[in-house]
Amino acid sequence: MIMDTIETLLTTAVNAAIGAGGEIMNVYDDPAQDFGIELKADNSPLTKADRRADAAIAAALLPTGISILSEESAHAPYGERRHWERMWIVDPLDGTKEFIKKNGDFTVNIALAEGGTPVAGVIYVPATRELYWGLRGRGAGKASKVGSDRRFADIGELAAASAPLPVAGQQRPFTVVASRSHLSDETRAFIDALRTFHPAMAMMSRGSSLKMCMVAEGLADVYPRFAPTMEWDTAAGHAIATAAGCEVVRADDGTPLAYNKPDLHNPWFIVRRKDGHATTPYAHEL
């Protein structure tokens, strides 16, 4: 595939994410609107905002002719998916629990994957109007004050409106970012072990895919996740983080996370900067 095609697809994904963010905020900000909360089979919540965002994204991405794997839509069986060389991986509202709590830590995630690897991704933060994007071979960026009415004509306009990631010139201690809602005992043990290497280590806590954005932006050095996640939780952040010079790897053997697997669950993983203050070991190295 030529680069111009991937750039065009990223622009489409960016505009789709912004449009979905507008749908989410219409629900979030309406004092007369109940969230229409339902529980899915796994007991995770589903709201009107999830459904509206999913519909908006599908309408924007279907004209590309690329198959879509979305958290909130029916999933094609692996016998069909295994033939998808390219695919969209979508979480219309990542951090639904944070959305319900109204703390702002929720995102729209859209990734383009090729051969099981995310090559382009966008994460839009509707509550703060921040937009993170990454493209293999082009780098990563962050645009601010991106309202729900904004649309980008092409990758050049997007890049011109963005600061490159990671942000340069930051002075801070070695920093770990962890889940606000899913901090497992195994994750705590890994963080405690890191203090041996970094006694002055700092901690951040964020929800949704923002943790991956913090590493990509250079605000954190490592994000360990030793708790359940699905491919749509990580694909967009994976594309952004790797485009920003990070790696997203399995915690057990350090190999990159793979996508479009028969089982859509992710293994435990670590997102870490490759230009960090000092070595961040894998789980099996501690």
Side-chain angles (χ1 to χ4, degrees):
M1 177 186 297
I2 62 172
M3 181 62 70
D4 285 346
T5 300
I6 298 178
E7 291 178 345
T8 299
L9 291 172
L10 175 62
T11 304
T12 298
V14 164
N15 291 334
I18 296 169
E23 294 292 334
I24 291 169
M25 294 307 293
N26 286 341
V27 177
Y28 190 75
D29 289 334
D30 184 353
Q33 178 74 261
D34 72 74
F35 287 172
I37 301 170
E38 303 173 11
L39 287 180
K40 295 187 288 187
D42 62 357
N43 286 323
S44 63
L46 176 72
T47 71
K48 292 178 180 177
D50 292 84
R51 292 188 290 270
R52 292 183 185 181
D54 189 52
I57 292 169
L61 298 185
L62 283 172
T64 67
I66 298 173
S67 298
I68 302 172
L69 175 67
S70 172
E71 178 180 13
E72 307 306 347
S73 298
H75 303 152
Y78 182 66
E80 176 182 341
R81 286 191 289 108
R82 67 188 180 91
H83 299 293
W84 295 355
E85 178 59 25
R86 292 188 297 166
M87 61 189 295
W88 295 111
I89 305 178
V90 175
D91 192 340
L93 176 48
D94 184 27
T96 301
K97 291 180 180 178
E98 315 302 334
F99 174 85
I100 293 169
K101 294 174 184 175
K102 302 201 76 170
N103 65 22
D105 266 12
F106 51 88
T107 61
V108 180
N109 304 344
I110 304 176
L112 176 69
E114 293 182 351
T117 299
V119 296
V122 56
I123 292 176
Y124 182 56
V125 193
T128 62
R129 300 185 298 161
E130 295 172 308
L131 187 142
Y132 296 85
W133 60 271
L135 180 63
R136 184 174 65 184
R138 183 69 184 252
K142 176 186 177 182
S144 301
K145 299 181 180 179
V146 180
S148 60
D149 58 345
R150 179 71 185 272
R151 298 295 184 273
F152 292 93
D154 52 38
I155 189 70
E157 182 182 344
L158 175 63
S162 304
L165 300 182
V167 177
Q170 300 181 76
Q171 299 296 320
R172 56 169 178 75
F174 186 90
T175 302
V176 178
V177 61
S179 175
R180 176 169 282 166
S181 301
H182 304 281
L183 189 60
S184 67
D185 290 342
E186 293 85 355
T187 305
R188 290 189 183 93
F190 178 81
I191 292 171
D192 287 344
L194 281 180
R195 295 188 192 279
T196 302
F197 297 85
H198 308 285
M201 186 175 74
M203 286 286 301
M204 298 173 64
S205 179
R206 298 301 301 268
S208 68
S209 59
L210 287 170
K211 296 177 289 296
M212 300 181 86
C213 293
M214 296 302 98
V215 181
E217 192 169 353
L219 298 178
D221 294 283
V222 60
Y223 160 41
R225 181 60 180 240
F226 304 157
T229 59
M230 305 297 292
E231 291 188 7
W232 45 76
D233 294 318
T234 59
H238 187 146
I240 295 166
T242 53
C246 309
E247 56 184 5
V248 183
V249 295
R250 294 174 61 111
D252 54 0
D253 62 10
T255 60
L257 283 190
Y259 294 80
N260 199 23
K261 305 183 301 296
D263 182 352
L264 295 169
H265 288 84
N266 290 320
W268 291 355
F269 65 88
I270 296 170
V271 184
R272 66 180 188 176
R273 297 215 57 80
K274 293 189 287 187
D275 58 355
H277 296 69
T279 300
T280 302
Y282 299 114
H284 69 281
E285 295 173 334
L286 292 175

